[in-house]
Amino acid sequence: MSTKKIIVLNGHPGETSLSKSLCDTYAASAKAKGHTVRYHDISAMQFDMDYGQGGYKNPKPLEPDLEAFLADLEWADHVVVATPLWWGAIPAKLKGVFDRALLPGRTFDTRNPNMMGVPAPMLTGKTARVLLTSDTPPLLLRLIYSNAIKKIISRQILGFVGVKPTRFSSFAPATDAKGKKVEGWLQKVAGLGAKAA
């Protein structure tokens, strides 16, 4: 099995969370199998989440934590993001990472649009795994909400910059999960990490 370069992003803003446990488990398992892992935890990242008024022509300079994240995103073969589902979307600080770091000239090329006017993606050749925790069971997420969160992450964020396919692993209901259920989830994630899947 060939080894991969993996970036892991814990998208939960709390210092402790199920998302963090999932990321830690994935990273440890991947490293044990010889994969190279670079880990980012948004609870420790320091940056201004507000994109501001500058626009793409005059963006704010990236803070060191965002520059390190973007450099590792460019470096990686495989992208792993853990996020809770909050109010049908991702946490504000995780959205801030994407708003600030996914910039033209680094992640997409506005000078080279396709026939529909969509900029050319610059992070092609990478795959992704999203570890999604929620209290909404996957079946209801699909039937009631048409998997909106999955479409946003896979198509409008990661897919837009060329990272695809994006595969999802859902863990629900998550708030009161304990014991054997969490252990089973961690074992599943350890298996994914070992395969860099």
Side-chain angles (χ1 to χ4, degrees):
M1 178 183 74
S2 61
T3 58
K4 291 185 180 179
K5 297 178 292 186
I6 304 170
I7 181 173
V8 174
L9 175 62
N10 172 24
H12 194 296
E15 291 184 5
T16 61
S17 65
L18 175 58
S19 295
K20 181 171 177 55
S21 296
L22 295 172
C23 285
D24 291 348
T25 299
Y26 187 105
S29 182
K31 288 178 183 178
K33 289 296 183 179
H35 303 290
T36 305
V37 178
R38 296 183 182 175
Y39 190 107
H40 296 262
D41 189 331
I42 67 165
S43 71
M45 293 172 70
Q46 300 293 319
F47 63 94
D48 183 356
M49 296 186 298
D50 183 12
Y51 182 77
Q53 303 298 319
Y56 284 149
K57 293 184 179 179
N58 186 30
K60 293 178 184 178
L62 294 181
E63 294 88 342
D65 286 340
L66 288 182
E67 181 58 49
F69 167 76
L70 181 52
D72 287 348
L73 184 61
E74 292 169 325
W75 160 88
D77 302 313
H78 187 58
V79 181
V80 178
V81 179
T83 180
L85 177 66
W86 285 357
W87 295 107
I90 59 179
K93 193 170 183 182
L94 178 57
K95 181 63 163 54
V97 170
F98 296 139
D99 286 348
R100 293 285 318 284
L102 301 185
L103 296 173
R106 295 283 296 272
T107 64
F108 60 94
D109 185 359
T110 57
R111 300 166 302 177
N112 187 24
N114 65 17
M115 292 178 59
M116 301 293 290
V118 178
M122 297 177 69
L123 299 181
T124 57
K126 306 174 190 296
T127 56
R129 168 72 59 179
V130 175
L131 309 173
L132 179 66
T133 65
S134 72
D135 285 330
T136 305
L139 179 61
L140 295 183
L141 199 62
R142 178 170 59 86
L143 293 178
I144 297 176
Y145 301 110
S146 301
N147 280 331
I149 186 64
K150 294 182 179 182
K151 293 174 184 175
I152 290 168
I153 294 172
S154 65
R155 299 178 191 176
Q156 296 177 282
I157 299 175
L158 297 178
F160 187 85
V161 297
V163 180
K164 56 185 172 182
T166 296
R167 295 183 172 89
F168 288 81
S169 297
S170 296
F171 306 93
T175 296
D176 296 318
K178 296 181 181 67
K180 290 185 178 179
K181 178 175 281 190
V182 173
E183 289 176 12
W185 290 346
L186 294 176
Q187 288 177 3
K188 178 179 179 180
V189 168
L192 292 172
K195 298 174 184 176

